[in-house]
Amino acid sequence: MGYLRIGQLSARTGINNETLRFYEARGLMSEPRRSEAGYRLYTEADVRKAEFIVRAKKMGFGLKDISELLSLRVEKESSTCGEVKDLAEAKLLEIEQKIEELQRMKGALEQITEACCGGQESAIHCTILNALDQIDDPAEVSARVAVRA
Amino acid sequence: MGYLRIGQLSARTGINNETLRFYEARGLMSEPRRSEAGYRLYTEADVRKAEFIVRAKKMGFGLKDISELLSLRVEKESSTCGEVKDLAEAKLLEIEQKIEELQRMKGALEQITEACCGGQESAIHCTILNALDQIDDPAEVSARVAVRA
DNA sequence: ACAAACCTTATACTTTACTACAGGGTTTAG
DNA sequence: CTAAACCCTGTAGTAAAGTATAAGGTTTGT
């Protein structure tokens, strides 16, 4: 019935056949059912797993991190619940830092696109490093806000 | 006076000497002044640049992306202002998508740490993939919020 | 003045994450 | 029934991003 072969999973996820087998070898994708002839048979759950891997990679996680994230699993009556929580909390912290950093960078890019094309004198802060410096400095930020208002 | 040699920049940024030279070869770090003997002499601006590279890498940008970000620079009276804006806006979109994805993931991890250690029946959603599925489904999210309130 | 600690270039090695064969079996459309 | 399109394992090759080493010059402390 609704099983996908490797080529179809590849088409659905944009991950190449070889790469899917590579992920399996690394323990990222779990070993799928096989057809009589030995073909891999994937489920919708595998599709979601593969899509998760793609997204996590875009966010800068390595395969090892992704593997850890995927293995986060609270088992009923598990004594490992504390460990799981610890790992999840560590990853949470990592993610929160990434978000903060990305938001700073977003601010800097917005400053470049908004403030830097137009005035003659404005070109002083018009590199990402200068824009970030401004964002670092609270006085400068409020000054900028005041000028704009 | 206040110049840093490569070892000192390395110590300040956590980037290894060889890697700094490698970044220079790739055009990420600009070619620094040299002492009479040919030693690289770095400025505080170089420190900030190096720190930016470290942070951008943590967020999942490759060296090529970082190079592009660093070269965003609105020159006074430049006709390239539109191009700069386009590139900045493309990166902005990329960053916004990363932030959204990270926030989804953050929600999923929070769900694991908060909701999954305790109750007996709760272990159903206690993998990151299940938690993400729940977050995808707006009905489930509001149900979860309602239960908590 | 001389050893330790530092710097130089150039080359080679390593790790991570793929990607591409080679050599063969299986499915499917005409 | 057979050719194209698909799949298998296994091995090898690649690209990106570092890291290490060799052979040598420079600075600094004593």
Side-chain angles (χ1 to χ4, degrees):
Chain A
M1 336 122 40
Y3 287 110
L4 303 176
R5 294 193 309 190
I6 199 166
Q8 297 169 309
L9 181 57
S10 175
R12 287 268 298 266
T13 60
I15 306 174
N16 159 328
N17 290 8
E18 323 282 344
T19 307
L20 285 167
R21 287 192 278 254
F22 170 74
Y23 287 163
E24 186 182 321
R26 287 293 176 90
L28 277 170
M29 294 297 289
S30 32
E31 292 187 9
R33 270 196 63 179
R34 296 296 186 114
S35 75
E36 279 181 23
Y39 286 18
R40 288 171 176 78
L41 299 175
Y42 293 102
T43 66
E44 285 300 317
D46 292 316
V47 177
R48 279 178 294 140
K49 201 164 190 173
E51 281 167 348
F52 175 81
I53 294 172
V54 171
R55 282 192 251 111
K57 272 183 51 56
K58 276 204 195 114
M59 296 187 286
F61 289 104
L63 297 191
K64 208 176 142 193
D65 297 294
I66 296 173
S67 180
E68 283 174 4
L69 285 167
L70 283 169
S71 67
L72 278 177
R73 172 187 304 275
V74 179
E75 308 289 356
K76 284 179 292 278
E77 310 179 29
S78 166
S79 60
T80 65
C81 182
E83 296 163 34
V84 170
K85 224 168 172 165
D86 287 353
L87 179 57
E89 265 156 17
K91 290 292 172 195
L92 208 48
L93 205 74
E94 214 179 300
I95 286 172
E96 273 160 5
Q97 279 166 359
K98 282 190 194 202
I99 290 176
E100 261 175 55
E101 203 55 60
L102 283 167
Q103 251 145 10
R104 257 169 48 90
M105 197 135 155
K106 183 180 158 180
L109 283 174
E110 275 165 354
Q111 205 177 324
I112 286 175
T113 61
E114 283 169 22
C116 291
C117 280
Q120 286 89 312
E121 241 50 52
S122 64
I124 317 149
H125 338 111
C126 292
T127 65
I128 192 152
L129 290 181
N130 282 328
L132 282 171
D133 282 348
Q134 290 221 321
I135 286 167
D136 281 337
D137 180 345
E140 273 291 343
V141 170
S142 40
R144 190 163 50 85
V145 169
V147 164
R148 227 189 271 175
Chain B
M1 337 128 36
Y3 287 108
L4 304 176
R5 296 193 310 192
I6 198 164
Q8 298 169 307
L9 181 58
S10 175
R12 286 267 298 266
T13 60
I15 306 174
N16 160 329
N17 290 8
E18 322 284 343
T19 306
L20 284 167
R21 287 193 277 255
F22 171 73
Y23 287 164
E24 185 183 323
R26 286 296 176 88
L28 278 170
M29 293 298 288
S30 33
E31 291 186 8
R33 271 196 61 179
R34 297 296 186 115
S35 75
E36 279 182 22
Y39 286 19
R40 288 172 177 77
L41 299 175
Y42 293 102
T43 65
E44 287 300 317
D46 292 315
V47 177
R48 280 178 293 140
K49 201 165 189 172
E51 281 167 348
F52 175 80
I53 295 172
V54 171
R55 284 193 249 110
K57 272 184 51 57
K58 278 203 193 117
M59 297 187 284
F61 289 103
L63 298 190
K64 209 176 141 193
D65 297 295
I66 296 172
S67 180
E68 283 175 3
L69 286 166
L70 283 169
S71 67
L72 279 177
R73 171 187 306 273
V74 178
E75 309 289 355
K76 283 180 293 281
E77 310 180 27
S78 168
S79 60
T80 64
C81 183
E83 296 163 35
V84 170
K85 224 169 172 166
D86 287 353
L87 180 56
E89 264 156 17
K91 291 290 172 197
L92 208 47
L93 206 73
E94 214 180 301
I95 286 173
E96 272 159 6
Q97 279 166 0
K98 281 189 194 204
I99 290 176
E100 261 174 55
E101 203 55 60
L102 284 167
Q103 250 146 9
R104 259 168 46 90
M105 199 136 151
K106 183 179 158 181
L109 283 174
E110 275 166 352
Q111 205 177 326
I112 286 175
T113 61
E114 284 169 22
C116 291
C117 280
Q120 286 89 313
E121 242 49 51
S122 66
I124 318 151
H125 338 111
C126 292
T127 64
I128 191 154
L129 289 182
N130 283 327
L132 281 171
D133 282 348
Q134 290 221 321
I135 286 166
D136 280 338
D137 181 346
E140 274 291 343
V141 171
S142 40
R144 190 162 50 84
V145 169
V147 165
R148 226 186 272 176

